[in-house]
Amino acid sequence: MNYRLYRPEDFEAVYGIEELCFQPPMTFGRRYMRWLVQAQNAATWVAEDDGNLAGFAIVEWTQAIHEVSAYIQTIEVLPQMRGQGVARELLKHMEGSAQVVGASAIWLHVDVENWAAIRLYETNAFERAGNEENYYAPGRGAYVYRKQLKKGTSD
């Protein structure tokens, strides 16, 4: 498996994974996804297997008064590629990107019913920091997870 930064020619494959992995109202719109992958304050990592995309992940960061905070927009892996460590490696690459820009923490929302993702975050030192009712849709809540990062490195 090869992990690399997104290239514009990856868009259709990335959006195809988005449409396969999530159903409305959970999907990003095409315009919003294009904006995310092109944002100057974000990094999109792709996992490539024999020239085909197997998954991708997007991390975005914002500058507050005295600190940078990173937010994981999404991690998505094709169903047939799950359970092989792809999401874990994408997570490491996103953390590395966040550390390089000086983020002190990285955080995310995860569907309260997505046990595989919850396990991924918890086994990678993320701590539950709260929850938001009806985050994804009425009756569909999210947990908020957060992790402190070492500044300026990509260990």
Side-chain angles (χ1 to χ4, degrees), residues 42-150:
T44 301
W45 285 92
V46 299
E48 192 174 44
D49 185 39
D50 290 329
N52 297 308
L53 293 194
F56 73 96
I58 303 171
V59 61
E60 181 180 30
W61 49 86
T62 56
Q63 174 75 49
I65 294 173
H66 296 291
E67 71 176 357
V68 176
S69 179
Y71 180 74
I72 295 173
Q73 286 284 348
T74 193
I75 299 177
E76 302 180 28
V77 177
L78 289 172
Q80 66 270 26
M81 301 302 291
R82 293 178 186 162
Q84 299 178 38
V86 176
R88 183 178 60 250
E89 285 301 314
L90 286 168
L91 182 60
K92 287 180 185 178
H93 282 80
M94 285 191 298
E95 287 181 24
S97 290
Q99 288 172 316
V100 166
V101 298
S104 58
I106 190 167
W107 66 289
L108 60 99
H109 288 88
V110 62
D111 188 320
V112 298
E113 297 177 11
N114 190 341
W115 298 110
I118 291 167
R119 186 172 45 256
L120 170 70
Y121 301 126
E122 289 181 351
T123 59
N124 283 278
F126 281 77
E127 296 180 359
R128 192 178 307 175
N131 65 297
E132 292 187 34
E133 299 297 322
N134 305 312
Y135 179 79
Y136 291 106
R140 193 93 183 240
Y143 293 131
V144 177
Y145 276 85
R146 188 173 194 279
K147 180 179 182 177
Q148 288 297 122
L149 298 173
K150 296 177 185 174

Side-chain angles (χ1 to χ4, degrees), residues 27-43:
T27 55
F28 289 137
R30 186 176 284 273
R31 183 179 301 165
Y32 183 67
M33 176 71 80
R34 194 174 299 278
W35 178 82
L36 271 176
V37 299
Q38 294 174 346
Q40 296 297 310
N41 65 323

